[in-house]
Amino acid sequence: MMKPLPVRLGDLSVGFVQSLADAVRSCGHDPAPLLDQFGLDPARLAQPLARLSIPRYMRLGHAAIMLTGEPALGLRMGQLSRLGQVGLAGVTAAQAPTVREAARTLIRFEPLYGSNYRGQSSLHEDAQGAWLRFYSISPYNAYNRFVVDSIIAGWLQHLSAVAARPLSCEQIDIEFSEPDYAQRYGELDSAMIHFRAETNQLRLNHATLDLRNPQHCPSTWAYLLQLCERELEQMTRTRSLRERITQLLGPLLNGGREPDLEEVAARLKLPTWTLRRKLAEEGTQFRAILNDTRRDLAMTYIRDTELAFGEIAYLLGFASAEAFQRAFKRWNAQTPGEYRRRQRQTA
């Protein structure tokens, strides 16, 4: 049987570290020792296409918050961020003709600067405007709230740069409960801010979306779009049906339910029997891929996050924490607790 591919929670461009360093510096601290501690020296940060794993980024952000004593560091990061730090997608968005096209560009080409195995950002346009939605790993804690803050504030900063004027949004929704630093969200120009929402998102009306970019150059914009499309095609090219299914399973695993063969076949636009036959030709079965994906994600969550085992069970679609514990011991001949302790001892 084909060896399963390693599963990671995701990664992002080291360009995001630049805004974190700027935020630390704005709090009166030198970020260099902290970055060195995480192996992010100037040479590493200057490497083309260099990426940082999401768990490592969350630990870095938490360490920066501890260093500065600033729980709202994520908001400051977003406010100090620049489109060039988002790589080719950001440079392209900076040449968009309107705020609307810039938002579309940042969302469509998100894989060029960040990937989350469990979900991705999205743009939902309607007759009155649009929602920009950001997916984040939950449940929330001191390690991941700053990520949501930095993205939401960063979107406002980036789109304001395109319009060459500060933008206001009609509404901001945040999934986690109101934090101790809730008053700091007043720094974001929004009519309403809601906590404990169903998703992380901000709302822009048509007047804002239609604002023109005074720096827009049509020929440069067209050329940069071509480069982005080429890079995206190369990045998302798959080698096997197994890989395509593994990528599909990440967002589908959640909340005490597991996806079945019929659901995955429908998303692949294949008859169930055809999918079963093609997998057999590759020497595998859907159940084997599902188990391998769950196992690899479980090991990653236990090793790289602070999530409780019950929370991991929920994220992986198990009906209960007990069912997850049994499955993990069957996969690895040890309990999740034993695995986490051994990983921490050798880290």
Side-chain angles (χ1 to χ4, degrees):
M1 182 174 293
M2 185 183 300
K3 183 180 179 180
L5 297 168
V7 172
R8 294 186 299 175
L9 296 183
D11 53 28
L12 69 164
S13 168
V14 295
F16 283 85
V17 176
Q18 301 291 347
S19 62
L20 185 145
D22 288 340
V24 170
R25 198 173 291 112
S26 75
C27 293
H29 294 268
D30 179 7
L34 176 63
L35 299 186
D36 286 342
Q37 178 185 338
F38 281 80
L40 296 166
D41 57 22
R44 169 66 173 162
L45 295 178
Q47 290 179 357
L49 306 180
R51 309 279 275 210
L52 179 68
S53 74
I54 287 177
R56 192 166 184 81
Y57 179 61
M58 291 194 296
R59 290 197 294 271
L60 171 63
H62 182 259
I65 291 172
M66 293 297 100
L67 171 66
T68 61
E70 174 55 276
L73 194 70
L75 295 176
R76 186 169 295 195
M77 287 172 57
Q79 293 164 333
L80 293 173
S81 64
R82 300 182 296 277
L83 277 167
Q85 296 168 346
V86 192
L88 180 59
V91 173
T92 303
Q95 277 295 314
T98 63
V99 169
R100 184 191 310 276
E101 289 299 332
R104 288 172 176 171
T105 299
L106 289 172
I107 298 299
R108 169 161 175 72
F109 299 113
E110 184 182 55
L112 299 185
Y113 59 87
S115 64
N116 188 328
Y117 180 74
R118 300 307 303 271
Q120 60 187 25
S121 300
S122 56
L123 179 67
H124 301 265
E125 301 184 56
D126 53 49
Q128 287 75 44
W131 290 101
L132 279 76
R133 292 179 181 167
F134 173 66
Y135 175 85
S136 178
I137 296 173
S138 58
Y140 290 97
N141 52 43
Y143 288 83
N144 58 1
R145 281 191 294 265
F146 88 94
V147 178
V148 177
D149 290 345
S150 65
I151 294 296
I152 295 295
W155 277 345
L156 271 178
Q157 177 67 22
H158 295 159
L159 297 178
S160 294
V162 171
R165 55 182 284 188
L167 299 186
S168 61
C169 55
E170 294 183 323
Q171 183 174 322
I172 293 176
D173 291 346
I174 303 290
E175 288 181 349
F176 50 78
S177 299
E178 184 172 332
D180 294 338
Y181 57 90
Q183 74 279 1
R184 297 290 297 279
Y185 290 90
E187 299 171 8
L188 305 180
D189 196 351
S190 174
M192 294 182 291
I193 298 179
H194 298 151
F195 294 97
R196 302 186 68 181
E198 292 186 2
T199 189
N200 301 303
Q201 60 184 359
L202 63 82
R203 176 74 179 180
L204 298 176
N205 60 30
H206 276 309
T208 299
L209 292 166
D210 291 338
L211 289 173
R212 306 291 300 179
N213 178 4
Q215 300 298 320
H216 170 63
C217 174
S219 59
T220 303
W221 161 247
Y223 177 59
L224 290 171
L225 277 179
Q226 288 181 359
L227 292 180
C228 282
E229 293 288 1
R230 192 180 308 158
E231 289 294 319
L232 185 63
E233 180 183 3
Q234 181 177 350
M235 176 176 287
T236 56
R237 188 178 297 124
T238 55
R239 297 187 299 272
S240 70
L241 182 61
R242 182 190 185 97
E243 290 176 272
R244 294 169 62 191
I245 292 174
T246 299
Q247 289 298 314
L248 278 174
L249 287 175
L252 294 177
L253 284 168
N254 206 0
R257 62 173 294 275
E258 63 178 44
D260 56 25
L261 179 67
E262 289 73 19
E263 183 176 2
V264 171
R267 289 178 178 266
L268 290 171
K269 296 181 172 56
L270 289 173
T272 303
W273 65 269
T274 300
L275 177 57
R276 188 178 289 111
R277 175 178 57 80
K278 286 181 175 291
L279 288 174
E281 291 172 356
E282 289 192 3
T284 189
Q285 298 175 337
F286 174 74
R287 173 55 60 175
I289 299 174
L290 177 62
N291 285 338
D292 288 343
T293 302
R294 276 178 150 177
R295 180 199 63 202
D296 292 347
L297 275 173
M299 294 170 69
T300 300
Y301 277 128
I302 293 170
R303 182 183 65 243
D304 294 335
T305 77
E306 304 300 318
L307 293 174
F309 300 139
E311 294 169 338
I312 296 173
Y314 181 86
L315 289 171
L316 297 182
F318 284 94
S320 66
E322 292 74 20
F324 166 63
Q325 297 260 0
R326 291 194 298 270
F328 192 90
K329 190 168 185 178
R330 184 171 66 250
W331 295 329
N332 296 284
Q334 57 185 322
T335 66
E338 291 169 341
Y339 179 75
R340 176 169 276 174
R341 283 192 295 273
R342 291 179 182 178
Q343 292 297 311
R344 300 293 163 85
Q345 289 169 358
T346 58

